[in-house]
Amino acid sequence: MKYLIDTHTHTIASGHAYNTIDEMTRHANKIGLANLAITEHAPKMPGSSDKLYFYNLPIVPKEKYGVHRLMGCELNIIDYNGKVDLSPKKLKKMDIVIASLHLPCIKPGTIDENTTALVRCCENPLIHIIGHPDDERYPIHYEALVEAAAKTHTLIELNNTSLNATGPRQGAYENDIKLLKLCKEKNVCICLGSDAHIEESIGVFDNCEKVLNEVDFPERLIANLDMELMKSYLT
């Protein structure tokens, strides 16, 4: 498959990644990736940047080294009602916004609490993508999430890093199989995110492809393959 964008990457501004924006951009150009999303961890993640960093993102050139850059963030969900750690005023300046559950920022709730948090994020018109909803430490009613994504025109992420054998999340393979089957059944679009924290991981979707092949997932529902489809979710 010819991927046109990686929707989830981090630079040194996230505090635990290892390349600059320009280094990440040059590598995207090197591998022939035309579009790259820079989605830094929002401020509640320990070590990440202050709110002012995100407020100032519009100064970053959108085109460089032959790559179109989408400047955004990966929000931390900080309560079970879907509250996140940047204001609507700041989010309106973003090209792309992911919302995720992270252990340093919110403890796992009940399956109903976790699901409500993600569904409320789907209902937030400033959030475009639900990030890595595959960690068994945060159990989810997946059918409710998929239905909410369909209703609100929100993308559900398939995260390559989640599927690493030594990755940061648990039970991702089984949960992603379940999630993809529901998305396929209900015609809900997904996006692939490398969750790269180093330039060599940009555009690497090998783990995602194994799961996609496992469920015979249709290419028409993968937004990374069609920039017009992707843009429909980012506006």
Side-chain angles (χ1 to χ4, degrees):
M1 287 186 278
K2 174 61 175 176
Y3 301 108
L4 304 177
I5 185 171
D6 187 342
T7 55
H8 189 161
T9 72
H10 300 276
T11 78
I12 55 173
S14 285
H16 56 276
Y18 302 97
N19 290 102
T20 66
I21 294 173
D22 279 4
E23 287 170 344
M24 299 287 272
T25 307
R26 282 194 292 265
H27 188 79
N29 174 265
K30 179 181 176 181
I31 64 173
L33 191 65
N35 303 275
L36 178 66
I38 304 291
T39 51
E40 308 296 4
H41 286 290
K44 288 293 183 182
M45 178 64 71
S48 195
S49 295
D50 184 77
K51 294 177 182 179
L52 183 60
Y53 174 90
F54 297 95
Y55 188 83
N56 203 37
L57 278 180
I59 72 166
V60 180
K62 296 295 176 63
E63 307 286 337
K64 200 165 185 181
Y65 307 122
V67 175
H68 178 68
R69 303 192 290 202
L70 289 80
M71 303 305 298
C73 66
E74 183 181 15
L75 295 168
N76 301 293
I77 301 168
I78 56 176
D79 72 19
Y80 304 119
N81 288 315
K83 183 178 179 181
V84 293
D85 56 341
L86 283 174
S87 70
K89 182 178 180 180
K90 291 184 177 64
L91 295 180
K92 287 175 182 178
K93 294 178 178 289
M94 307 286 181
D95 300 319
I96 185 167
V97 177
I98 304 169
S100 305
L101 294 162
H102 290 119
L103 282 178
C105 304
I106 185 171
K107 67 179 182 180
T110 66
I111 189 169
D112 289 336
E113 288 173 331
N114 299 331
T115 303
T116 297
L118 295 184
V119 168
R120 294 282 170 82
C121 285
C122 288
E123 293 167 352
N124 184 336
L126 300 177
I127 293 172
H128 308 122
I129 299 169
I130 300 300
H132 51 72
D134 52 16
D135 191 337
E136 68 180 15
R137 295 172 296 183
Y138 291 99
I140 302 293
H141 292 300
Y142 283 115
E143 187 161 7
L145 174 60
V146 171
E147 288 174 353
K151 183 177 179 181
T152 60
H153 200 61
T154 304
L155 288 166
I156 294 176
E157 179 187 73
L158 183 62
N159 186 291
N160 202 72
T161 297
S162 289
L163 292 161
N164 285 341
T166 58
R169 299 172 198 110
Q170 299 176 10
Y173 184 83
E174 294 78 8
N175 287 331
D176 284 331
I177 291 286
K178 187 185 306 181
L179 189 56
L180 288 175
K181 285 181 177 178
L182 284 166
C183 289
K184 179 181 176 181
E185 175 189 332
K186 298 177 184 294
N187 287 305
V188 172
C189 284
I190 66 165
C191 63
L192 310 188
S194 67
D195 205 352
H197 285 63
I198 193 166
E199 64 181 54
E200 288 84 358
S201 297
I202 294 171
V204 176
F205 301 125
D206 53 342
N207 297 324
C208 294
E209 288 177 346
K210 291 175 185 176
V211 184
L212 292 168
N213 291 335
E214 179 81 14
V215 301
D216 193 24
F217 196 80
E219 292 186 9
R220 63 183 173 80
L221 297 178
I222 302 173
N224 307 66
L225 301 174
D226 182 343
M227 283 306 295
E228 291 305 312
L229 177 61
M230 179 66 72
K231 288 174 185 176
S232 78
Y233 283 90
L234 303 182
T235 55

